[in-house]
Amino acid sequence: MKVPTLLKVLIKAIAVPIISMFALNRFNLFEYISLVPEDRYFDIGLTAYLAIFEALFLFFEKWIESQRASITCVFYVKKTEKNEKNTPKVVCGSSTSHVAYIYCDIQTTGNNKLLRKASVSLNLPDWVSSQIPQNETVAHYKNNTLVFAFDKLIPESAGREHVALHTVQIPFIETANEGYSSVVLKPQLNRKLTKIYVSLSTNSFQLCNKE
């Protein structure tokens, strides 16, 4: 069981009984129902209140989940080696005519209103640049940073269950050669407030100018 899941179970196990007891002590509805024996007011009330607050907790939990969204970015060189757990290696140097490519499969799910405002950045080292085609709808290159934005990928009318898929081919161009250079790159989610509601799942990749 994952830690966040275990934490939610513990919070629920502690909070629901405490809230139920507090509410029951403030007002027991079953004291006003003549069919309930007086000596069973507390037992029946506690059972009912536990069920009610557990249902409310579940409803609130599902509502929070419905407000969230996720972005998945998987980098790969070959389709057959595509795996979020892999760290593919890209060589961009004299052996590749100073040009190399990597692919990124993107998937977005969840709250599309948030996703349309979210973006992901990938900062490139100084010794490479990139040229993204003008007809590319998600990836953009500016100031040595690749930015993935989703406002054009996801329609404004898209529902919460809408899943968007997109593949980007990212070119790298070596612009400087000062011996051996190697860096491991991993994109980051922009906008601090967005990070609370939007999760990013991605792998890293190694970019170097020699084998």
Side-chain angles (χ1 to χ4, degrees):
M1 185 179 290
K2 295 181 180 179
V3 174
T5 303
L6 179 61
L7 186 60
K8 281 196 297 185
V9 171
L10 290 174
I11 291 174
K12 181 180 177 181
I14 295 171
V16 170
I18 291 175
I19 295 172
S20 299
M21 286 291 293
F22 177 79
L24 187 63
N25 289 329
R26 295 297 297 265
F27 177 76
N28 188 345
L29 175 64
F30 294 91
E31 292 179 3
Y32 302 91
I33 300 176
S34 58
L35 296 175
V36 178
E38 187 175 346
D39 61 342
R40 299 297 306 279
Y41 287 161
F42 180 82
D43 292 341
I44 295 176
L46 181 60
T47 301
Y49 280 37
L50 283 170
I52 291 170
F53 284 109
E54 188 166 352
L56 289 173
F57 187 93
L58 182 61
F59 173 81
F60 185 65
E61 186 179 22
K62 288 186 176 295
W63 181 82
I64 291 176
E65 289 299 322
S66 71
Q67 302 304 306
R68 292 183 176 176
S70 64
I71 302 168
T72 302
C73 300
V74 182
F75 294 94
Y76 60 93
V77 176
K78 297 180 181 178
K79 191 77 172 180
T80 55
E81 299 174 354
K82 176 188 169 184
N83 191 316
E84 193 177 335
K85 296 181 179 179
N86 289 346
T87 303
K89 182 178 181 180
V90 181
V91 179
C92 181
S94 56
S95 63
T96 61
S97 300
H98 308 285
V99 178
Y101 297 87
I102 195 168
Y103 294 90
C104 180
D105 278 3
I106 299 170
Q107 177 177 309
T108 65
T109 57
N111 190 328
N112 288 300
K113 185 176 180 181
L114 280 178
L115 287 168
R116 285 177 54 82
K117 297 177 182 178
S119 62
V120 174
S121 293
L122 181 67
N123 296 319
L124 301 183
D126 294 338
W127 52 274
V128 295
S129 66
S130 184
Q131 289 184 352
I132 302 296
Q134 290 185 348
N135 61 352
E136 169 57 44
T137 57
V138 173
H140 309 278
Y141 176 73
K142 185 178 181 180
N143 298 328
N144 224 40
T145 299
L146 284 166
V147 178
F148 303 89
F150 312 106
D151 55 324
K152 293 182 180 178
L153 177 65
I154 303 169
E156 289 186 26
S157 58
R160 293 190 184 278
E161 301 300 320
H162 180 80
V163 176
L165 303 171
H166 187 74
T167 299
V168 182
Q169 184 188 48
I170 303 171
F172 298 111
I173 305 166
E174 186 183 35
T175 56
N177 189 342
E178 299 178 358
Y180 178 72
S181 297
S182 177
V183 62
V184 175
L185 302 176
K186 189 174 184 177
Q188 300 292 326
L189 188 63
N190 297 328
R191 296 172 62 103
K192 292 182 179 180
L193 289 177
T194 305
K195 293 179 182 179
I196 301 174
Y197 303 101
V198 182
S199 63
L200 172 63
S201 178
T202 183
N203 61 333
S204 306
F205 66 92
Q206 181 186 2
L207 181 63
C208 55
N209 61 355
K210 295 179 181 179
E211 289 284 357

